[in-house]
Amino acid sequence: MQIEMLRTKLHRVTTTRADLNYEGSISIDRDFMDAAGLFANEKVDVLDINNGARFTTYVIEAERGSKTIGVNGAAARLVQTDDKLIVISYCSIDINDAPTHKPKVVLFDDDNVIKEII
């Protein structure tokens, strides 16, 4: 049997852009993607800490070192620049592996600098 588990999390990352006129997705700095192990086009859930909005989208790569977290397209109506977000990806694993599964969690400060990777 398979079970869905947290795979990666960007915790308290700050929105740098909300662009209604851009192709829908979330733009994430390539450094942040690498730190979390996220892939371009990977499905993610986005949770807005400021207003409680939750939505599903996919990742597109933003310029490495830019500190960009850009919410694009229709989802841009759900966030504001400077909102704190949690970006989550999941994986399916064998239920027998669940007790030892360790997700990768990347913690951010208020300036989108990585504080810690757990």
Side-chain angles (χ1 to χ4, degrees), residues 10 16 47 56 63 66 75 80 83 87 96 102 106 116-117:
L10 303 178
T16 60
L47 296 68
T56 300
E63 181 181 346
S66 66
Q80 301 276 329
D83 279 2
V87 180
N96 295 318
K102 299 282 191 242
V106 183
E116 185 177 3
I117 300 173

Side-chain angles (χ1 to χ4, degrees), residues 40-85:
N41 301 308
E42 183 171 359
K43 177 182 174 180
V44 291
D45 284 343
V46 180
L47 296 68
D48 188 311
I49 295 169
N50 293 72
N51 65 25
R54 301 171 74 100
F55 56 91
T56 300
T57 190
Y58 62 94
V59 174
I60 61 172
E61 181 180 329
E63 181 181 346
R64 185 178 297 282
S66 66
K67 299 184 183 177
T68 297
I69 297 292
V71 178
N72 306 308
R77 292 201 181 275
L78 302 174
V79 303
Q80 301 276 329
T81 300
D82 295 325
D83 279 2
K84 296 294 182 192
L85 304 180

Side-chain angles (χ1 to χ4, degrees), residues 10-17 26-33 35 62-71 80-87 106-116:
L10 303 178
H11 187 74
R12 294 189 61 84
V13 69
T14 303
T15 307
T16 60
R17 179 178 81 229
I26 184 167
S27 305
I28 300 176
D29 180 317
R30 180 75 234 183
D31 287 336
F32 301 168
M33 291 173 62
E63 181 181 346
R64 185 178 297 282
S66 66
K67 299 184 183 177
T68 297
I69 297 292
V71 178
Q80 301 276 329
T81 300
D82 295 325
D83 279 2
K84 296 294 182 192
L85 304 180
I86 299 170
V87 180
V106 183
L107 306 175
F108 290 84
D109 71 9
D110 289 337
D111 297 315
N112 276 357
V113 174
I114 295 172
K115 293 190 315 186
E116 185 177 3

